[in-house]
Amino acid sequence: MRLLIRNIKQIVGLVAEHKDKVSGTAMASLSCIENAFLLIEKDKIIDFGSMNNCLEHADKIIDATGKLVFPAWCDSHTHIVYAGSRESEFVDKINGLSYEEIAKRGGGILNSAKRLQNTSEQELFESAWMRLEEIKMMGTGAVEIKSGYGLTVQDEIKMLRVIKRLKEKSNLTIKSTFLGAHAFPLEYKQNHQAYVNMIIKEMLPIIAQEKLADYCDVFCDRGFFSVEETDQILNASAKYGLKPKIHANELDYSGGIQVGVKNKAISVDHLEFTGDDEIEILLHSNTMPTLLPSTAFFLGLHYPPARKMIAAGLPVALATDYNPGSSPSGNMPFILSLACVKLKMLPEEAINAATINAAYAMEVNNELGSIAIGKKANVFITNPISSYAFIPYSFGSRLVETVIINGIVQ
Ligand code: NIG
Ligand code: FE
C-alpha cells in the first residue's frame, strides 16, 4: 500500500538521519521543502521532494494544496493513566492555596492516588484510552506514560499493566515509566526509608520480571524525594536495566538535575529552577532538558529559563505533562504557543523541541521525530495555513486536519 501526499505547500521538519537531536543555535533552523510530495509505503516514509520530481504511482493520493505536513509530535512526559479529576483543587488554587500547601494537607498526588486505588484496571484503561485518542487527533504520534498514582505495590503494578495494554492496543508509539517515587503515602511521612525500601525491594523486582517499564522516574524536589533517596532508587533501577527520566527542579534548586545527570538520565524534566551550575552540568551530559510550560502556566510558577539554556548551547525538548493536578491537557500545539509566548522560544525552536528533541527524550529518535526516509510515517497535515509559525501563533485553534499513524489515515 502506497500513500502519496502531493502539492504540499511545505514539508516541515526534515532532519538528516545521523542527527539525533538539535542543540543551541541550531535549534533556530528548521529544514523545509516548498511545493512538495511525501510518499509513504506501508508504515514508512520512502520518499519526499519537490513536486517537479513527483511520480504518481500510489494506491491512495491526498492533495495537500495550501497545507503543511509535519512529523507527528512526540510527547515525552505524561501521566495519562489516572482516575477522576481535581478541579476542586483548581478552585482552591484560585482562592490562594499553593500546589505545595494542597499537597501537604493530603491533596494533590495523594488525592489522585486514593481515587486510583479505588478504580479498576479496566476503568483506568478506558479513560486513558480516550485521552490517547484525544491527543492523537491533536497530532501526537508518540507518548511516554508514567505510573505514580498507585503508591502501593498492587496499585503501581495495576497502572503499569494498564500502560502495557495501551501499548499493545494503540497504534501510537508508547514508552512506559515507573514513577513509584512520585509522593510519600501518608503512612510513610515519618518513615521515608521504609517507602524507598518498598520501591526497591518489592516494586522494582516485579516490574522487571513482568517487563512493565522502560524507564524509572523520581520526583526529586523540595517536599518530595531528596537527592539521596533519588540516588538510591536510580541505583536500584539501573540494576534492572531501567534508565532514569526524572522530575527535577520544579519547586526549588533541588539537586535533581545533578543526581539525574550523575545517573545518566535520558531526560530531566520541569527545570523551572535552573541556574548556571545546572546548565554547566547539563552541557557535559547526554541528558535532554525537557520543559513543561503548561505546568508553570497552570500552577502560576515562574517559567524555566529556556533562552538561557539554548544560548548556552543546550538542546531542549517540550512536553505536556498531561496529568490531573498540574497540567490537565495534552494539547501539544498549545505547548508550542506557551513556549513561544512565555519561554520566548522561536517557532523553529519550539517545533524542533516538540519533535526531534522530544523523540530523543524518549529514545525513539531513530524512527520518529522528523521527516526522513526510512522513518515511521507518523505525520500530520494541517488546515490551509500561511506558515509554520501560524501553529504557535494561533493558540487554541484546531489546525491539525489529518493525522497519519504508521502510514494509515486516522
Ligand atoms: O509532573 N511534579 C510532579 N508530578 C506531576 C504532578 C502530579 C499531580 O499533581 O498530580 C507533574 O507536575
Ligand atoms: Fe510530570
Side-chain angles (χ1 to χ4, degrees):
M1 164 80 182
R2 280 188 166 202
L3 168 63
L4 172 69
I5 311 174
R6 62 196 300 276
N7 293 328
I8 304 166
K9 178 176 167 141
Q10 189 179 46
I11 302 184
V12 178
L14 314 166
V15 176
E17 273 101 283
H18 63 273
K19 274 223 154 149
D20 56 355
K21 61 182 179 219
V22 283
S23 308
T25 50
M27 285 194 71
S29 41
L30 187 63
S31 294
C32 302
I33 315 182
E34 327 287 318
N35 189 26
F37 76 92
L38 181 78
L39 186 61
I40 293 167
E41 186 168 61
K42 293 191 185 133
D43 62 341
K44 297 270 187 317
I45 296 170
I46 61 162
D47 200 6
F48 59 82
S50 158
M51 272 308 288
N52 300 333
N53 304 322
C54 177
L55 302 172
E56 304 270 323
H57 300 303
D59 304 290
K60 185 176 159 76
I61 296 180
I62 298 178
D63 185 87
T65 302
K67 303 172 183 179
L68 274 52
V69 170
F70 279 72
W73 314 120
C74 295
D75 190 351
S76 64
H77 181 136
T78 81
H79 310 244
I80 61 166
V81 177
Y82 60 82
S85 55
R86 305 221 305 262
E87 62 270 27
S88 66
E89 293 178 3
F90 171 62
V91 176
D92 291 340
K93 271 179 244 144
I94 296 169
N95 282 323
L97 283 185
S98 73
Y99 182 73
E100 285 172 281
E101 282 162 341
I102 292 170
K104 271 201 193 110
R105 48 169 218 198
I109 295 166
L110 296 184
N111 177 356
S112 285
K114 215 179 301 153
R115 291 164 192 258
L116 185 131
Q117 289 161 4
N118 293 318
T119 304
S120 70
E121 186 179 314
Q122 182 58 23
E123 281 174 89
L124 288 172
F125 175 81
E126 284 165 15
S127 58
W129 179 260
M130 307 261 287
R131 293 179 196 116
L132 263 190
E133 291 292 295
E134 176 203 10
I135 63 173
K136 187 201 290 183
M137 297 326 284
M138 293 190 281
T140 298
V143 59
E144 180 257 17
I145 311 173
K146 301 173 192 295
S147 69
Y149 292 122
L151 307 185
T152 67
V153 177
Q154 168 191 325
D155 295 297
E156 281 298 308
I157 301 297
K158 178 169 79 178
M159 282 191 83
L160 290 167
R161 287 194 181 130
V162 170
I163 302 173
K164 191 173 182 185
R165 282 176 64 193
L166 294 170
K167 275 190 183 188
E168 285 160 4
K169 185 169 172 202
S170 175
N171 52 9
L172 296 184
T173 298
I174 297 176
K175 292 282 180 131
S176 168
T177 300
F178 167 54
L179 175 56
H182 199 187
F184 287 99
L186 278 183
E187 57 276 33
Y188 292 95
K189 280 274 175 239
Q190 305 310 324
N191 190 359
H192 283 190
Q193 192 57 45
Y195 186 62
V196 170
N197 289 346
M198 186 197 285
I199 290 174
I200 293 175
K201 297 200 175 112
E202 297 183 50
M203 298 184 189
L204 278 171
I206 304 177
I207 292 161
Q209 200 194 348
E210 290 190 29
K211 296 196 174 27
L212 288 173
D214 302 298
Y215 303 111
C216 183
D217 194 344
V218 178
F219 185 10
C220 181
D221 227 318
R222 186 179 68 204
F224 290 84
F225 288 76
S226 69
V227 165
E228 294 69 32
E229 290 156 356
T230 304
D231 204 33
Q232 279 188 56
I233 294 167
L234 297 185
N235 263 311
S237 67
K239 300 207 172 89
Y240 294 106
L242 299 181
K243 297 179 196 169
K245 265 177 77 65
I246 73 166
H247 283 74
N249 298 48
E250 175 185 2
L251 306 171
D252 205 348
Y253 292 97
S254 63
I257 293 177
Q258 285 85 340
V259 72
V261 168
K262 175 183 156 206
N263 285 281
K264 301 196 166 33
I266 299 299
S267 71
V268 286
D269 302 17
H270 277 292
L271 315 188
E272 281 76 2
F273 289 84
T274 303
D276 294 340
D277 291 352
E278 285 81 5
I279 288 177
E280 190 56 31
I281 281 160
L282 284 165
L283 278 170
H284 295 100
S285 78
N286 293 317
T287 300
M288 178 60 71
T290 297
L291 311 181
L292 313 169
S294 55
T295 304
F297 167 75
F298 192 76
L299 298 182
L301 307 175
H302 72 80
Y303 287 87
R307 281 266 52 94
K308 206 172 158 184
M309 295 164 90
I310 295 171
L314 285 174
V316 302
L318 288 166
T320 65
D321 198 15
Y322 194 174
N323 76 74
S326 66
S327 178
S329 164
N331 186 330
M332 281 298 282
F334 182 59
I335 298 297
L336 273 84
S337 298
L338 284 177
C340 293
V341 175
K342 296 294 186 183
L343 306 184
K344 305 284 179 222
M345 288 171 67
L346 297 168
E348 293 82 359
E349 292 170 331
I351 293 167
N352 279 317
T355 54
I356 187 68
N357 284 0
Y360 179 98
M362 52 190 291
E363 294 186 296
V364 295
N365 50 291
N366 284 336
E367 51 175 314
L368 291 167
S370 66
I371 305 286
I373 290 173
K375 279 203 175 178
K376 222 181 227 195
N378 284 15
V379 303
F380 64 83
I381 308 172
T382 66
N383 288 338
I385 54 175
S386 39
S387 74
Y388 56 69
F390 196 83
I391 298 259
Y393 159 80
S394 180
F395 74 92
S397 296
R398 289 198 69 112
L399 299 171
V400 174
E401 188 189 73
T402 305
V403 177
I404 296 172
I405 301 292
N406 297 337
I408 294 169
V409 175
Q410 302 300 297

